[in-house]
Amino acid sequence: MAEIGVDWPNLDAIWISHFHMDHVGGLGPLLAGTKHAPQMQERQKPLTIYGPVGFEKLFDGISSVRDYKLREQPFPVNVIEITTMEKFEIVAGVEAVAMSTEHTPESHAIHIRDGETTVVYSADTGFDGKLAALATNVDLMLLECAFVHQKPNKKHLILSEAIHLIRKAKPRRAMLTHFYPEWDDVDFEKEVELLSPMCEVIQAEDGLTLQLTMDNG
Ligand SMILES: [Zn+2]
Ligand SMILES: [Zn+2]
């Protein structure tokens, strides 16, 4: 976050989709850092971390590693377990709703609304038409796409499934992420084009910044 110029000392909220290490493992290093970072010592605004049922227990487990006490920060930390399909205010004025996904018992996708602007992020998921319903007409549909053509299990998406969901949801723009090594030598644009997604489909990469609101200037 520091490298790409994100205003990380003012981070408002974190949402955890599920408990696989690639989705939750960063919390320990982040909060061990915020505890001592000079930029954080004067902060008073709370940081709220949302997760599925069971998240408090997991958080306290991470926090107890070498007695790091990650809840004890210069600023208040709120750890909140969300209820599936119940609206919550993730940041003041920004509404979120999380929906269960076909990945792990606790995994969720999320729909976020900031005024007129809407985003859906699938997090990790198997193929599920409910995702297209959740993402209908959003400004950005962010989908995992772990595999290209074949998958060893039903817990992730391949490209044709992701594009099918995008065609059904008709978002303004879509973005794919969570690429496994199978993607390394694949021509992303060419493969996507073959499936006629009907909207721009962006290949996510580290540090990518997107503006979601329409620029009328
Ligand atoms: Zn996962
Ligand atoms: Zn993952």
Side-chain angles (χ1 to χ4, degrees):
M1 287 191 287
E3 246 177 48
I4 61 169
V6 170
D7 183 16
W8 60 271
N10 283 309
L11 184 66
D12 291 292
I14 298 170
W15 174 72
I16 298 295
S17 60
H18 65 296
F19 302 154
H20 279 153
M21 195 60 92
D22 55 323
H23 296 259
V24 81
L27 275 181
L30 175 71
L31 294 171
T34 56
K35 194 165 171 154
H36 302 289
Q39 295 91 331
M40 291 301 215
Q41 301 309 308
E42 303 300 319
R43 175 177 166 142
Q44 288 172 0
K45 181 169 72 164
L47 174 66
T48 308
I49 311 173
Y50 299 90
V53 170
F55 178 56
E56 284 223 56
K57 187 169 170 239
L58 180 131
F59 184 86
D60 287 334
I62 296 173
S63 180
S64 70
V65 172
R66 193 127 173 97
D67 209 20
Y68 266 99
K69 295 192 176 70
L70 296 178
R71 279 184 198 255
E72 293 171 20
Q73 299 279 342
F75 48 90
V77 175
N78 305 317
V79 177
I80 296 179
E81 295 185 353
I82 55 107
T83 306
T84 303
M85 292 310 274
E86 268 187 27
K87 195 165 73 178
F88 60 102
E89 196 174 41
I90 191 163
V91 177
V94 181
E95 286 175 2
V97 178
M99 182 187 83
S100 288
T101 52
E102 305 283 329
H103 184 66
T104 60
E106 82 286 4
S107 65
H108 286 81
I110 193 167
H111 182 287
I112 299 172
R113 172 183 295 279
D114 179 3
E116 293 296 301
T117 307
T118 50
V119 176
V120 159
Y121 169 41
S122 68
D124 288 359
T125 183
F127 183 61
D128 181 0
K130 290 199 297 296
L131 269 170
L134 185 74
T136 303
N137 298 137
V138 292
D139 291 291
L140 180 70
M141 184 180 192
L142 176 55
L143 282 173
E144 75 125 288
C145 195
F147 297 103
V148 186
H149 295 301
Q150 273 137 24
K151 54 183 182 178
N153 59 58
K154 294 188 163 178
K155 307 282 184 191
H156 287 286
L157 296 177
I158 56 173
L159 183 62
S160 59
E161 293 171 333
I163 299 295
H164 178 86
L165 293 171
I166 291 166
R167 287 175 59 112
K168 280 192 95 166
K170 300 185 172 64
R172 191 158 71 80
R173 282 191 296 178
M175 181 156 70
L176 301 182
T177 188
H178 203 282
F179 304 111
Y180 277 16
E182 284 82 342
W183 276 100
D184 285 358
D185 298 318
V186 172
D187 184 333
F188 180 86
E189 282 180 20
K190 194 173 133 206
E191 291 291 334
V192 167
E193 204 52 48
L194 286 172
L195 296 163
S196 310
M198 322 272 279
C199 72
E200 183 189 2
V201 179
I202 302 157
Q203 183 176 23
E205 58 184 46
D206 291 347
L208 179 68
T209 308
L210 278 189
Q211 185 174 338
L212 293 176
T213 47
M214 287 289 208
D215 185 359
N216 296 318

